[in-house]
Amino acid sequence: MNYEELYAELLELEKDLKDSVGTVTRLNKRVVKEMESGALTDMKKDLQQFLSAADLLKERTAAFDEAVNSFDTKEYFSSGDFTEQLLEACSAKGIDVIGEKGVYEMFPYRVRIYGDDEHPEEVWINRKKAASFRPSAVADTIKQGQEKLYKANFNELTFMNELAEAYDTTCFKNGSRVGSAVALTKIYKALTPMARARKEYDMQAFSFDLARIYEAGPDAWVTKNGRIFTFGTSRDGKTGIRVLSRTGVESYITTLSSLTTEE
């Protein structure tokens, strides 16, 4: 199954439907004017045309409805056709994708595709359910979202200050020496101590901010008080937080360390 085939069919049907709607609308206006002017003979003639146009509109509406309902969305998802076509659309748009079995990361988005009895025909982009069943449209949504995020203002100094504060909190809580390497997953928990905060600032958003500060380089890893930090990375991809640069360079950031104390 392929939504694009249905779309092509609906386009043709929609042209006829639009023509019929236009004809019915035009005849309706003529009848109203004839009503006002008292042109009863013309009105009787146009009413017959109106009824014929209305019948044709009904037929074309039924054909459109039949085409829509003939598309088995449950089968489209359960067969894997939707997933395959979405991945193809993402590849065509240059969207980096990793994952399998209905769970994919399209940085910084997490996309889940369902096709079971509990979640029939559902696509979730992070915490938002997508309304579209058209793979290319879903890929467009992701691509546009990525572009919007990269265009958004990002204050590197503010973010570094917040990371530093969360780093110190984590060190104090765990009894660790300031200067030691602290897992970024723990720092994230310090940044978002309440479930409400994690909902508003989820791990995907945190990963995206990490990607931007990491790409900015060591010159940006300094707080307003002059403390210098560094990030630890992993090569195996099994640990750490996956980030992508604007050019698609992949890194796995694991820890944050303070190289200096507060001045």
Side-chain angles (χ1 to χ4, degrees):
M1 297 177 68
N2 191 322
Y3 184 87
E4 294 305 315
E5 294 176 359
L6 172 65
Y7 181 68
E9 180 183 359
L10 293 179
L11 275 180
E12 290 300 318
L13 291 172
E14 192 275 336
K15 290 178 183 177
D16 292 336
L17 193 59
K18 185 177 180 180
D19 288 342
S20 287
V21 170
T23 300
V24 168
T25 301
R26 184 171 62 257
L27 287 168
N28 178 68
K29 290 179 179 179
R30 282 167 57 176
V31 168
V32 170
K33 287 183 179 180
E34 290 158 355
M35 246 171 46
E36 293 173 348
S37 66
L40 192 58
T41 301
D42 290 337
M43 184 168 61
K44 289 180 179 180
K45 179 181 177 182
D46 286 336
L47 271 174
Q48 292 305 310
Q49 295 184 47
F50 181 90
L51 289 172
S52 297
D55 287 340
L56 183 57
L57 174 60
K58 185 177 180 179
E59 291 176 11
R60 289 175 171 175
T61 301
F64 195 93
D65 179 67
E66 182 181 357
V68 171
N69 287 293
S70 68
F71 193 81
D72 190 340
T73 54
K74 184 175 181 179
E75 172 66 18
Y76 190 37
F77 276 71
S78 63
S79 66
D81 287 346
F82 174 88
T83 299
E84 180 181 351
Q85 290 158 27
L86 175 59
L87 297 181
E88 289 174 355
C90 287
S91 177
K93 297 179 187 299
I95 299 172
D96 180 87
V97 180
I98 63 169
E100 58 182 358
K101 298 180 179 179
V103 181
Y104 302 93
E105 181 179 308
M106 304 175 188
F107 188 80
Y109 298 109
R110 175 157 297 199
V111 178
R112 293 177 175 84
I113 303 171
Y114 297 99
D116 53 32
D117 292 335
E118 185 178 356
H119 299 279
E121 309 102 64
E122 291 185 5
V123 182
W124 288 80
I125 302 175
N126 287 351
R127 297 177 181 272
K128 186 175 181 179
K129 183 179 177 180
S132 177
F133 284 11
R134 188 181 185 188
S136 61
V138 176
D140 280 338
T141 297
I142 294 167
K143 185 67 174 180
Q144 290 165 9
Q146 291 175 332
E147 292 173 349
K148 183 177 180 180
L149 285 171
Y150 277 114
K151 289 179 181 177
N153 291 330
F154 178 66
N155 191 311
E156 297 167 357
L157 181 59
T158 297
F159 185 61
M160 252 345 282
N161 290 335
E162 291 171 346
L163 281 182
E165 184 176 347
Y167 170 87
D168 290 339
T169 299
T170 306
C171 285
F172 177 78
K173 182 178 180 180
N174 296 339
S176 303
R177 177 181 60 84
V178 173
S180 59
V182 176
L184 282 164
T185 50
K186 293 182 178 180
I187 290 177
Y188 171 70
K189 290 180 180 179
L191 281 170
T192 56
M194 299 176 65
R196 184 190 310 167
R198 289 192 293 275
K199 184 176 182 180
E200 294 177 354
Y201 185 62
D202 59 18
M203 181 58 77
Q204 281 70 46
F206 180 58
S207 299
F208 187 70
D209 286 343
L210 280 178
R212 298 183 81 174
I213 197 70
Y214 187 71
E215 186 175 9
D219 288 345
W221 305 345
V222 182
T223 68
K224 64 180 179 181
N225 294 322
R227 292 178 67 186
I228 302 173
F229 285 81
T230 189
F231 292 95
T233 59
S234 171
R235 292 183 178 180
D236 60 16
K238 296 180 180 179
T239 58
I241 298 173
R242 179 178 182 266
V243 299
L244 285 182
S245 69
R246 288 174 181 265
T247 56
V249 177
E250 179 184 73
S251 301
Y252 286 85
I253 310 176
T254 54
T255 61
L256 181 68
S257 303
S258 176
L259 300 181
T260 58
T261 57
E262 184 175 342
E263 293 183 356

